[in-house]
Amino acid sequence: MILFTQKEEWEKLRESHFDNTASVGYVPTMGALHKGHASLLERAAKENEICVCSIFVNPTQFNQASDLDHYPRTLTQDLMIAEAAGCSAVYFPQVNDLYGENVESQPVDYGSLTNNLEGVNRPGHFAGVTTIVGLLFDAIRPDRAYFGEKDFQQLAIIREMTSRQGRAIDIIGCDLIRDADGLALSSRNVRLSPQGRQNALALSQTLKEMQERVQHSDPSLLEKWAGRHLEQQPGVELEYLEIVDSKTLESAKNWELPTRALVAAWVDGVRLIDNVALS
Ligand code: AMP
């Protein structure tokens, strides 16, 4: 596995080290890799001749300085996980290799896709995400790019961005990977205390219970029940819990089209997100 830090190196590697016509599967990450990331890398390695992973903690997508400062950084371990997952090359850039001198994001407005859920609660976040993913796509020029359903709204926005920008990249959505007890794997989980980790289980448990109640409720009643239920759980501070149309991310009115429940909550000062398909 090759480690490179500059876009120009990738251009050279593609011509000299790899076959220039080989298919490239790409997984953008912010590092602190876990089994969720590994599942994306394994799939990219299986479906392409070359699998590239980037590790870059993107400053413009953090709307809180303390979250950026505390984001875990574990490069040595990340390289081992990436290699074991079948990754061919890892791009580990400095901020200016991607942004140049202007570390700024471009605003983004894809209607309900960008303006609901995380869009309401993390101002500027998706502008940062679409800006960096655009810059990373320019640098890596993959055939396929792999994103987890863990960040369900992000996946929908990247699909929209890729299509609007006319990029010839297949965006592949990958299943959300959970720990055995149901907790959605996240790089931020390492910041939870043992008690916090226990409290955090309320998120996935509530979502599971929502799946079981779909038959007996309508979306707005189920949403209200689940919100109240989660608010009562110890150590959990709910930010939002919404049932939305899986394509438009607008509030779901019934169960006829595919719907999804998405939640964001704070536990131990750590912001966690999770989601499940309902219908
Ligand atoms: P991150 O490093 O958090 O920016 O995530 C990089 C990619 O890994 C994104 O496409 C995430 O959706 C995906 N990812 C993170 N956690 C999980 C998980 N538990 N299951 C599946 N994909 C995940």
Side-chain angles (χ1 to χ4, degrees):
M1 192 178 72
I2 290 173
L3 177 65
F4 65 101
T5 57
Q6 292 177 352
K7 311 189 269 240
E8 288 73 29
E9 286 177 76
W10 176 238
E11 292 300 322
K12 290 195 192 113
L13 280 168
R14 263 187 106 157
E15 277 168 23
S16 55
H17 188 80
F18 298 113
D19 172 358
N20 207 6
T21 61
S23 59
V24 176
Y26 171 48
V27 181
T29 79
M30 298 206 297
L33 301 187
H34 50 64
K35 286 184 183 143
H37 298 110
S39 73
L40 271 57
L41 289 164
E42 280 160 13
R43 188 156 168 205
K46 200 165 130 208
E47 296 178 356
N48 301 275
E49 287 153 280
I50 303 172
C51 165
V52 185
C53 173
S54 60
I55 297 176
F56 180 64
V57 183
N58 173 35
T60 67
Q61 73 186 69
F62 285 81
N63 55 323
Q64 288 194 340
S66 67
D67 192 22
L68 174 61
D69 291 346
H70 292 119
Y71 203 83
R73 288 165 170 86
T74 56
L75 182 63
T76 311
Q77 194 189 317
D78 290 351
L79 296 179
M80 289 194 292
I81 292 174
E83 185 151 33
C87 193
S88 338
V90 172
Y91 177 36
F92 181 65
Q94 295 291 309
V95 174
N96 60 9
D97 193 51
L98 287 160
Y99 281 100
E101 296 306 312
N102 288 335
V103 188
E104 296 176 343
S105 53
Q106 306 305 315
V108 62
D109 184 353
Y110 299 156
S112 54
L113 292 188
T114 46
N115 303 338
N116 292 348
L117 304 158
E118 298 287 285
V120 176
N121 291 283
R122 298 188 72 189
H125 171 65
F126 287 127
V129 168
T130 48
T131 300
I132 194 60
V133 172
L135 292 169
L136 287 163
F137 280 177
D138 290 343
I140 304 297
R141 292 184 293 108
D143 298 287
R144 300 187 187 86
Y146 296 78
F147 291 85
E149 288 190 341
K150 161 83 181 0
D151 299 275
F152 192 79
Q153 187 173 11
Q154 168 176 280
L155 169 60
I157 290 169
I158 298 300
R159 275 194 209 289
E160 181 70 18
M161 179 192 96
T162 307
S163 137
R164 285 193 190 208
Q165 296 178 351
R167 294 179 185 268
I169 303 173
D170 276 344
I171 304 300
I172 318 276
C174 302
D175 289 344
L176 192 164
I177 305 297
R178 300 178 178 281
D179 255 339
D181 57 11
L183 184 69
L185 292 183
S186 163
S187 303
R188 291 185 174 88
N189 290 352
V190 295
R191 289 167 50 199
L192 294 169
S193 66
Q195 184 59 54
R197 201 193 170 290
Q198 196 58 33
N199 294 342
L201 291 178
L203 273 71
S204 55
Q205 282 165 356
T206 303
L207 292 175
K208 192 152 181 277
E209 217 168 319
M210 289 174 81
Q211 286 177 315
E212 286 154 14
R213 288 172 179 241
V214 165
Q215 307 291 340
H216 317 289
S217 190
D218 68 37
S220 86
L221 284 177
L222 185 59
E223 190 180 276
K224 279 200 192 86
W225 170 82
R228 274 200 303 267
H229 177 74
L230 202 46
E231 269 167 354
Q232 286 161 8
Q233 304 307 307
V236 177
E237 200 186 314
L238 181 62
E239 203 169 88
Y240 66 79
L241 192 163
E242 289 182 37
I243 300 177
V244 296
D245 178 293
S246 301
K247 277 232 157 65
T248 63
L249 305 189
E250 283 168 348
S251 220
K253 306 272 176 284
N254 53 53
W255 303 123
E256 276 160 32
L257 293 169
T259 55
R260 199 107 191 162
L262 290 93
V263 62
W266 293 83
V267 176
D268 267 358
V270 182
R271 189 172 185 279
L272 301 174
I273 56 171
D274 198 349
N275 69 85
V276 291
L278 290 180
S279 62

